[in-house]
C-alpha cells in the first residue's frame, strides 16, 4: 500500500468528538454509526490511498442524508460520500479524517416502467441489481462496466461512468433524466424528471453528473432504460497492427452501424496478463498483437448474424482481420465479455499498476503505448493499452514490481503533457478524484477552472463535501 495521501495538509475542519457520534447515533440508530473496523472504507480500490476516518455513517433515506449534512455543515465536519468504492482515482476515500457517508442502505429500485422505459432508483443500488430489476420487465440499464457487481448507480452518476456501451447509448448526461441531490447545507434539491425534453432554464441535473461528490450527494435518480435486445452477437478478432484496428473500426461503423453496441480494444500484453492471472478465462484465439471485441445488439438474430459474419469475412479477405470467432450463444457471449472485464483486474493483481484513462484522437490512439514503453524501458514490467476504442478512450497501464519514484517520474506528468498536446482528455471516464487533481489544468482552460472553483464555493461555502478532491 502506497500512502500517497500522507503529506496532505489537513483543512481547517472541526475535530470529531463524542457528542457528534452520539448525535449521529440518535439520528440513525447505533447500527448505522460505525466507529470500528473501518479499514475497508478508508482504503481505495487500487490500495494507493489510505485515509484515517474514525466514523462511517449509513443513512437509510434522503431525509437522514440531509440531516447529516446540515449538522456537518454547521459543525464544519468534512464528509466523503462513498458508493461502491470501486473508483480508480481515490475520490471515494477520506484523505485525512473525513466522515465517510456510505450510501449502501439507499439501495432500492423504486419503480421500473415498461411503457416509458423510466426507472427510479436510489443512489446506493448496485448496478448489477438495478440491471436485473430492469431486465425483469424487458429493459436494461444503458450502462455496463466491469465493476457492476459492486459499484452503485449513484457512484456511476457522480463519476459520469462510461463503460462498454457508450458507443450505443451515449453517456449518462443523456440517459439520466433527473436526480435528487442533497446539498452541503442539507437542502434537498429535487431535479427529478420523467422526460427527455425539459427546457426550463439551466439544466442543473448535469452539475451532479460527474461532479464526484463535490457539489452534493446524489440520493435518487431517474434513468431512461432501453429494451433488452432480442439478439446479441459478439465477435472476438485478432489483428496485426493498429492500422488494421482503425480500418476494422471504420468498417464496423459502416457495415454494422445500426446494431453496433460495443467496440473494445485489447492489446496482446493486456490480454496475456489477464489469461496468466485468471486460469478460468478462455480466449478463443491467441497470439495476435491486437484484439477487438465487437458486439452487435439488434432485433433480428438471423439478420444480425449474417451481417457480423460478413463483416468478419470481408475484413479477413482484405487482410485486416487475421482470425476471429463470432457467437450469439448467451453463455459464450458472457465468456468473451469476461475476458475483457478481467483485463484491469489482471493487471492490478499482478503487480503495482499506474493507470491512465485518456481520450485521444483515434489516429494517435495507440502511439502513446509505444512511446511509454520506450520511455520506461526495463523499469516497467508491463506497458499496455486497452479500452473503449469506439469512444476514443484508451486505458494505458504501466506496471512495475512496486511503486517507485523513478518510474513515476518517467510517466507523470509526461502522459498528461502528451495528452494535452493532442487536445485529448486526461480523464475520459474515471474522473479527477484525488490522484489527478494536480493535472486538471492539462485538460481544462484556466478560466473554466476558476468558474469550477466559484461553483464549488457557491454550493459548498464551507468546503465540507469531499475536500482534497478534483480542485486544488
Ligand atoms: P465510488 O468509488 O464509491 O465513488 C466514486 C466518486 O463518486 C467519489 O468521488 C465519491 O465521493 C462519489 N460518490 C459516490 N456515490 C455518490 C453519491 N451518491 N453522491 C455523490 N457522490 C458520490 N469506470 C468507468 O467509467 N468505466 C469503466 O468501464 C469502468 N470499469 C471499471 C472496472 C473495474 C474492475 C473497476 C474496479 C472500476 C471500473 N471503473 C470504470 C471505475 C468505477 O467503477 C466507476 O468510477 C464507478 O462509477 C464508481 O462507482 P462507485 O459506486 O464504486 O463509486
Ligand atoms: C475498464 O474499462 C475500466 O476496464 C478500468 O475503465 C480501466 O483499470 C483501468 O485502467
Ligand atoms: Zn474503461
Amino acid at each position: 500500500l502506497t500512502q500517497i495521501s500522507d503529506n496532505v495538509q489537513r483543512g481547517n475542519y472541526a475535530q470529531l468528538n463524542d457528542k457528534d457520534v452520539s448525535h449521529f447515533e440518535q439520528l440513525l440508530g447505533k447500527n448505522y454509526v460505525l466507529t470500528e473496523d473501518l479499514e475497508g472504507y478508508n482504503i481505495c480500490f487500487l490500495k494507493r490511498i489510505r485515509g484515517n476516518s474514525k466514523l462511517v455513517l449509513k443513512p437509510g433515506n434522503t431525509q437522514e442524508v440531509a440531516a447529516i449534512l446540515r449538522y456537518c455543515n454547521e459543525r464544519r465536519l468534512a464528509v466523503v460520500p462513498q458508493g461502491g468504492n470501486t473508483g480508480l482515482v481515490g475520490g471515494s476515500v477520506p484523505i485525512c479524517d473525513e466522515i465517510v457517508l456510505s450510501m449502501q442502505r439507499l439501495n432500492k429500485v423504486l419503480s421500473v416502467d415498461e411503457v416509458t422505459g423510466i426507472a427510479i432508483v436510489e443512489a446506493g443500488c448496485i448496478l448489477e441489481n438495478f440491471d436485473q430489476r430492469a431486465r425483469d420487465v424487458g429493459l436494461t440499464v444503458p450502462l455496463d462496466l466491469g465493476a457492476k457487481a459492486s459499484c452503485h448507480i449513484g457512484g456511476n452518476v457522480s463519476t459520469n461512468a462510461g463503460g462498454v456501451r457508450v458507443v450505443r447509448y451515449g453517456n449518462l448526461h443523456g440517459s439520466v433524466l433527473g436526480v435528487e441531490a442533497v446539498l452541503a447545507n442539507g437542502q434537498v434539491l429535487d431535479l427529478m424528471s420523467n422526460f427527455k425534453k425539459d427546457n426550463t432554464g439551466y439544466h442543473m441535473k448535469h452539475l451532479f453528473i460527474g461532479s464526484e461528490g463535490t457539489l452534493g450527494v446524489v440520493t435518487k435518480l431517474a434513468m431512461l432504460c432501453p429494451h433488452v435486445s432480442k439478439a446479441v452477437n459478439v465477435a472476438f478478432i485478432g489483428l496485426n497492427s493498429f492500422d488494421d484496428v482503425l480500418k476494422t473500426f471504420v468498417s464496423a461503423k459502416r457495415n454494422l452501424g445500426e446494431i453496433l453496441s460495443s467496440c473494445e480494444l485489447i492489446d496482446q500484453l493486456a490480454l496475456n496478463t489477464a489469461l496468466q492471472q485468471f486460469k478460468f478465462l478462455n480466449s478463443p484465439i491467441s497470439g495476435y498483437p491486437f484484439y477487438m471485441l465487437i458486439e452487435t445488439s439488434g432485433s433480428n438474430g438471423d439478420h444480425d448474424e449474417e451481417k457480423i459474419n460478413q463483416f468478419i469475412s470481408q475484413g479477413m479477405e482484405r487482410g485486416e482481420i487475421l482470425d476471429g470467432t463470432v457467437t450469439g450463444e448467451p453463455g459464450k457471449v458472457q465468456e468473451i465479455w469476461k475476458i475483457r472485464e478481467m483485463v484491469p483486474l489482471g493487471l492490478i493483481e499482478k503487480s503495482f499498476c499506474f493507470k491512465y484513462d485518456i481520450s485521444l484522437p483515434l489516429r494517435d490512439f495507440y502511439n502513446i503505448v509505444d512511446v511509454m514503453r520506450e520511455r520506461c524501458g526495463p523499469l516497467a514490467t508491463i506497458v499496455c493499452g486497452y479500452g473503449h476504442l469506439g469512444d476514443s478512450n484508451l486505458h494505458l497501464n504501466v506496471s512495475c514490481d512496486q511503486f517507485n519514484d523513478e518510474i513515476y517520474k518517467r510517466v507523470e506528468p509526461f502522459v498528461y503533457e502528451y495528452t494535452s498536446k493532442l487536445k485529448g482528455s486526461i480523464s475520459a471516464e474515471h474522473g479527477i478524484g484525488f490522484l489527478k487533481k494536480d493535472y486538471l489544468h492539462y485538460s481544462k482552460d484556466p478560466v473554466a477552472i476558476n468558474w469550477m472553483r466559484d461553483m464549488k464555493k457557491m454550493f459548498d461555502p464551507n468546503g465540507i463535501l469531499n475536500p482534497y478532491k478534483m480542485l486544488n
Side-chain angles (χ1 to χ4, degrees):
L1 185 85
T2 320
Q3 292 171 249
I4 63 169
S5 48
D6 269 359
N7 46 14
V8 172
Q9 169 91 40
R10 185 179 185 278
N12 193 17
Y13 300 104
Q15 298 283 353
L16 186 76
N17 62 33
D18 291 348
K19 244 175 85 185
D20 299 322
V21 176
S22 316
H23 171 85
F24 291 127
E25 283 176 348
Q26 261 178 11
L27 181 70
L28 306 177
K30 281 197 174 179
N31 285 348
Y32 304 121
V33 177
L34 276 53
T35 52
E36 280 168 14
D37 296 328
L38 306 187
E39 187 83 346
Y41 301 90
N42 269 311
I43 300 182
C44 79
F45 188 90
L46 293 177
K47 300 195 170 32
R48 280 187 72 181
I49 298 170
R50 181 203 292 272
N52 189 26
S53 180
K54 301 277 187 275
L55 185 67
V56 174
L57 300 177
K58 297 192 173 182
N61 55 49
T62 303
Q63 288 64 40
E64 288 180 356
V65 174
I68 291 169
L69 290 187
R70 200 176 308 119
Y71 181 89
C72 289
N73 193 43
E74 277 163 18
R75 276 272 297 128
R76 305 287 195 274
L77 290 164
V79 176
V80 52
Q82 190 173 86
N85 199 12
T86 67
L88 299 172
V89 290
S92 54
V93 286
I95 299 303
C96 299
D97 57 352
E98 301 89 282
I99 294 172
V100 176
L101 183 67
S102 166
M103 299 302 285
Q104 277 168 20
R105 285 178 65 222
L106 277 93
N107 58 5
K108 290 188 278 302
V109 178
L110 299 172
S111 62
V112 185
D113 186 328
E114 196 184 341
V115 176
T116 60
I118 297 168
I120 311 292
V121 61
E122 290 183 335
C125 184
I126 289 177
L127 176 59
E128 200 167 57
N129 299 347
F130 180 23
D131 190 55
Q132 196 47 59
R133 270 295 303 279
R135 279 177 188 268
D136 290 345
V137 299
L139 301 174
T140 181
V141 179
L143 169 79
D144 189 7
L145 58 154
K148 61 190 154 210
S150 341
C151 64
H152 294 182
I153 192 65
N156 299 148
V157 168
S158 302
T159 53
N160 186 25
V164 295
R165 298 262 147 58
V166 175
V167 82
R168 173 67 161 261
Y169 299 119
N171 68 26
L172 290 174
H173 285 285
S175 308
V176 173
L177 299 183
V179 301
E180 176 189 80
V182 180
L183 303 182
N185 65 6
Q187 253 180 6
V188 178
L189 187 55
D190 182 350
L191 303 168
M192 292 297 282
S193 162
N194 283 341
F195 298 97
K196 254 189 188 171
K197 303 182 83 168
D198 172 24
N199 280 350
T200 52
Y202 304 144
H203 289 224
M204 288 181 68
K205 73 169 181 203
H206 293 297
L207 289 179
F208 300 92
I209 303 173
S211 55
E212 303 181 48
T214 61
L215 298 181
V217 176
V218 176
T219 43
K220 194 165 73 177
L221 55 113
M223 178 79 79
L224 188 59
C225 298
H227 279 264
V228 174
S229 300
K230 284 190 197 154
V232 175
N233 283 291
V234 162
F236 195 65
I237 57 181
L239 309 95
N240 190 38
S241 67
F242 187 70
D243 199 38
D244 290 337
V245 168
L246 280 188
K247 287 182 183 146
T248 303
F249 175 48
V250 173
S251 165
K253 286 195 289 183
R254 187 177 295 131
N255 297 302
L256 305 170
E258 76 285 6
I259 50 171
L260 186 67
S261 52
S262 205
C263 185
E264 297 284 310
L265 173 77
I266 312 176
D267 75 6
Q268 190 166 33
L269 264 177
L271 182 85
N272 287 351
T273 309
L275 297 180
Q276 266 168 24
Q277 289 301 116
F278 307 113
K279 298 290 177 217
F280 60 85
L281 294 176
N282 273 316
S283 181
I285 54 173
S286 61
Y288 300 100
F290 294 96
Y291 300 87
M292 288 173 82
L293 191 166
I294 294 174
E295 185 193 73
T296 62
S297 305
S299 55
N300 183 330
D302 293 341
H303 173 254
D304 293 358
E305 210 179 308
E306 193 185 318
K307 275 185 126 173
I308 198 167
N309 279 326
Q310 200 177 44
F311 155 77
I312 305 260
S313 53
Q314 286 175 352
M316 286 176 101
E317 274 163 29
R318 288 192 300 268
E320 293 159 10
I321 299 174
L322 296 181
D323 196 1
T325 176
V326 177
T327 181
E329 214 182 286
K332 294 217 168 103
V333 166
Q334 267 192 15
E335 248 182 52
I336 291 180
W337 267 117
K338 198 81 196 154
I339 299 173
R340 166 63 184 89
E341 286 169 7
M342 295 312 280
V343 165
L345 296 171
L347 289 152
I348 294 169
E349 274 213 1
K350 190 170 169 70
S351 50
F352 184 87
C353 187
F354 294 101
K355 288 186 169 286
Y356 303 97
D357 155 43
I358 49 191
S359 280
L360 287 173
L362 273 181
R363 285 195 179 77
D364 299 297
F365 193 76
Y366 194 76
N367 295 345
I368 180 77
V369 181
D370 294 327
V371 169
M372 201 52 92
R373 274 189 193 132
E374 179 103 343
R375 261 185 89 78
C376 293
L379 285 173
T381 48
I382 301 170
V383 178
C384 67
Y386 58 97
H388 317 290
L389 179 87
D391 313 321
S392 292
N393 175 189
L394 177 75
H395 294 310
L396 166 70
N397 283 218
V398 179
S399 300
C400 49
D401 290 333
Q402 53 192 6
F403 179 92
N404 81 71
D405 235 29
E406 216 183 326
I407 185 162
Y408 184 41
K409 285 190 185 130
R410 293 259 178 122
V411 183
E412 296 186 27
F414 175 81
V415 59
Y416 300 120
E417 283 163 2
Y418 184 99
T419 305
S420 176
K421 274 189 200 136
L422 291 169
K423 307 238 176 310
S425 172
I426 63 143
S427 174
E429 57 174 10
H430 298 159
I432 297 295
F434 178 74
L435 284 177
K436 313 235 155 125
K437 67 180 179 142
D438 290 342
Y439 308 109
L440 186 61
H441 65 277
Y442 284 104
S443 277
K444 247 194 174 88
D445 177 73
V447 179
I449 295 181
N450 275 337
W451 276 101
M452 282 172 69
R453 282 211 182 89
D454 286 350
M455 278 163 61
K456 170 71 178 169
K457 268 186 220 137
M458 192 164 78
F459 277 86
D460 179 17
N462 298 326
I464 63 155
L465 269 180
N466 220 359
Y468 322 107
K469 313 285 170 61
M470 193 183 288
L471 289 161
N472 264 323

